Amino acid sequence: MAPLIQASGLSHLFRPFYGGMGHILTFHRVIPPLASPRIHNHQGLEVSPEHLEEVIRYFVKRDYQFFSLDQLQAALDRGNVDQKFVVFTFDDGYQDVWQYAYPIFQQYKVPFAIYIATNFPDHTAILWWYMLEGFVLRKDHISFCLSGKTYDISCSNREEKEAAFANLRQIILNEPDQLRLPGILNTIFGDLYSALMQDSQSLSLNWEQIRSLNQDPLVTIGAHTVNHYPLSQLDESMLQEEVEGSRLRIEQEIQTPVRHFAYPFGKKGEASRREFEFVQRAGFLTATTTRIGNIFPAHKDFPTALPRISINEVSRSPVLTLQTTGLIPFVVNRGRRVITD
Ligand SMILES: [Zn+2]
């Protein structure tokens, strides 16, 4: 921690050049740490409710303005702000945002946005990584036969469960054909398949919750495609289906125009100039990536290519300072400000 604190002191030197006008934060899930036993392997996309509150207080203490995405867009249009701003965004549409994050935002009267991948509330998403977690936590021993190979995996203690998770995750990731995924999961999970599927579906927000969130002026509902594919790999017509399709589906449910978008995965390999221009032509006011960076006046001309700061379990106060002053973005982007690419 000491070197981090030292670095966060020095990082103020970067603020005038890399700190920008404000920041957009990326979250995925908010879960109390001991809600249930977990596999540690994939907690990188989760923070605790206390941690979320700590992040809000970090910005309160530093006199930030809390912006909605519409307010962000207005600030970009003006090209300046009298006070730094921060925008809170959540990707995918997890149920715990409703359960644990929403009450905190209400308490602090802080606006936030949720980008919905519509296959989450439509229950057509296969959240296999959570199914797999549930599977190894329930089993003491795993055996199955896949592509002519027999697997026998002991899974009776913490260490073995972590190892089994990593091992099976790799087997699933090694399958390039997504259409074969349900078959593979069926083979591995056996008679637990439907129960695990049901459990994983309960992790996503339902349309009733989304409609209710949308009634609150603090909340912006944005689009995050239908199927959460890396968009750069799609042809034009599929790109259209994913981008426009998710917007239409959400608008049909909430009866409100959807004007903001987030790219699935959102790194350089998954969303780039073609996608930025497409989303702008489709009429979205802003769109966010997962490129790391702060927001500058120059983003006025590129409102559908906005970088964000990802918040995970290490993003405590000293790390937040390294991110918001621009030192971490400076290092990650080798001295470049992320404006377009
Ligand atoms: Zn996502």
Side-chain angles (χ1 to χ4, degrees):
M1 216 53 178
L4 269 183
I5 291 167
Q6 245 171 9
S8 71
L10 279 177
S11 72
H12 291 287
L13 299 173
F14 283 78
R15 193 194 297 276
F17 310 105
Y18 293 94
M21 308 192 288
H23 327 285
I24 310 172
L25 310 182
T26 315
F27 295 80
H28 287 79
R29 303 189 61 187
V30 177
I31 318 177
L34 297 172
S36 60
R38 301 299 308 275
I39 294 297
H40 191 258
N41 194 299
H42 68 232
Q43 289 173 352
L45 299 178
E46 301 168 5
V47 299
S48 67
E50 293 70 30
H51 188 173
L52 172 62
E53 221 177 323
E54 193 184 311
V55 175
I56 293 174
R57 282 203 299 261
Y58 175 94
F59 290 102
V60 169
K61 204 172 140 192
R62 286 160 181 79
D63 286 329
Y64 271 79
Q65 314 183 73
F66 293 90
F67 275 1
S68 66
L69 287 172
D70 278 344
Q71 288 171 308
L72 162 76
Q73 195 266 333
L76 283 177
D77 247 14
R78 286 195 307 274
N80 64 62
V81 281
D82 41 15
Q83 217 179 327
K84 282 204 161 197
F85 66 81
V86 60
V87 185
F88 285 73
T89 67
F90 289 80
D91 284 11
D92 302 341
Y94 284 103
Q95 193 273 340
D96 39 68
V97 176
W98 163 270
Q99 193 178 354
Y100 297 111
Y102 184 37
I104 297 173
F105 286 110
Q106 284 177 307
Q107 186 194 330
Y108 285 87
K109 298 192 170 50
V110 165
F112 67 104
I114 311 176
Y115 297 114
I116 307 281
T118 55
N119 69 355
F120 270 53
D122 278 338
H123 291 326
T124 50
I126 299 178
L127 310 180
W128 62 262
W129 51 101
Y130 291 116
M131 295 173 75
L132 180 59
E133 179 179 29
F135 183 62
V136 301
L137 287 171
R138 282 191 206 192
K139 300 287 271 192
D140 285 335
H141 186 260
I142 296 167
S143 69
F144 60 91
C145 189
L146 187 70
S147 310
K149 201 174 158 194
T150 305
Y151 293 83
D152 256 308
I153 303 169
S154 180
C155 191
S156 61
N157 58 43
R158 189 88 226 150
E159 225 174 9
E160 286 181 350
K161 284 181 191 297
E162 296 278 352
F165 179 89
N167 189 354
L168 293 171
R169 177 177 175 275
Q170 208 47 55
I171 291 171
I172 295 168
L173 284 175
N174 283 346
E175 173 53 55
D177 185 357
Q178 285 296 299
L179 292 176
R180 285 195 53 199
L181 188 62
I184 292 171
L185 298 180
N186 234 312
T187 304
I188 299 177
F189 300 152
D191 50 14
L192 280 177
Y193 181 85
S194 346
L196 292 167
M197 180 63 110
Q198 229 164 18
D199 286 355
S200 71
Q201 286 173 345
S202 70
L203 294 177
S204 65
L205 286 167
N206 60 46
W207 286 117
E208 200 184 326
Q209 290 164 334
I210 295 167
R211 279 192 298 271
S212 164
L213 284 162
N214 182 58
Q215 296 297 315
D216 190 326
L218 285 181
V219 185
T220 303
I221 303 294
H224 193 43
T225 75
V226 177
N227 291 300
H228 209 279
Y229 296 140
L231 294 183
S232 56
Q233 292 172 21
L234 306 182
D235 64 26
E236 282 273 329
S237 80
M238 270 189 87
L239 179 62
Q240 167 119 16
E241 274 172 42
E242 286 294 321
V243 175
E244 301 276 19
S246 64
R247 172 163 67 185
L248 288 173
R249 180 75 189 97
I250 298 170
E251 288 180 343
Q252 180 187 29
E253 288 287 344
I254 67 174
Q255 297 293 314
T256 307
V258 171
R259 294 179 298 235
H260 304 278
F261 183 84
Y263 303 92
F265 309 102
K267 293 223 162 49
K268 209 167 174 169
E270 293 113 14
S272 206
R273 188 152 303 191
R274 179 190 73 146
E275 289 73 37
F276 300 156
E277 289 173 2
F278 185 92
V279 166
Q280 191 153 25
R281 277 201 309 277
F284 286 96
L285 298 180
T286 72
T288 51
T289 66
T290 53
R291 290 163 164 80
I292 298 167
N294 296 320
I295 303 300
F296 297 93
H299 283 114
K300 177 181 182 154
D301 296 326
F302 305 95
T304 55
L306 301 174
R308 290 189 285 179
I309 289 173
S310 182
I311 303 295
N312 54 43
E313 52 191 2
V314 302
S315 316
R316 303 284 170 173
S317 172
V319 174
L320 280 174
T321 299
L322 295 177
Q323 288 168 319
T324 55
T325 52
L327 192 147
I328 287 180
F330 172 85
V331 173
V332 172
N333 304 311
R334 298 186 192 139
R336 265 182 345 106
R337 292 177 183 177
V338 177
I339 305 293
T340 51
D341 267 316

